[in-house]
Amino acid sequence: MRKFEVYDMYLDDGKGAAFKITVPAPNKKEASEFVKGNGEIVAIKKNPIVQDIDIPYLVQVLQSASYGKAEIDVITRTLEIVGLDRY
């Protein structure tokens, strides 16, 4: 299992605008690679809130939005594999 962290990436687009992208990645280097080409990275900070996700609640939300069992299984298993589940 590869443990992921969630990072807030702050970028400058070079046109006077800055923006934030939230990226799950195994480390800061790979998070940086994900946003490469979208602007200059101004800062990378570990997101203090989204480090774990309540899987049973997510399942309820996805079921109420008419997601199928297979889709829910793929989403929840992926979160568990990368260590972002709240267990």
Side-chain angles (χ1 to χ4, degrees):
M1 175 191 335
R2 236 176 138 182
K3 175 73 171 133
F4 277 41
E5 302 288 343
V6 179
Y7 299 97
D8 289 331
M9 311 285 295
Y10 298 88
L11 292 98
D12 182 337
D13 71 355
K15 301 174 187 173
F19 56 98
K20 178 179 89 170
I21 299 174
T22 302
V23 178
N27 53 53
K28 286 183 180 182
K29 180 181 178 189
E30 290 193 38
S32 298
E33 288 294 318
F34 181 80
V35 299
K36 191 174 184 177
N38 291 305
E40 179 184 347
I41 298 171
V42 176
I44 303 172
K45 297 180 181 180
K46 187 174 171 183
N47 183 298
I49 300 169
V50 187
Q51 292 300 324
D52 60 7
I53 296 170
D54 184 343
I55 300 292
Y57 177 70
L58 177 62
V59 169
Q60 290 177 355
V61 171
L62 293 173
Q63 287 173 336
S64 69
S66 299
Y67 277 71
K69 180 174 178 4
E71 297 161 312
I72 293 170
D73 286 347
V74 168
I75 293 166
T76 57
R77 287 181 183 155
T78 302
L79 291 170
E80 291 168 355
I81 289 167
V82 298
L84 289 175
D85 56 320
R86 185 178 296 164
Y87 293 117

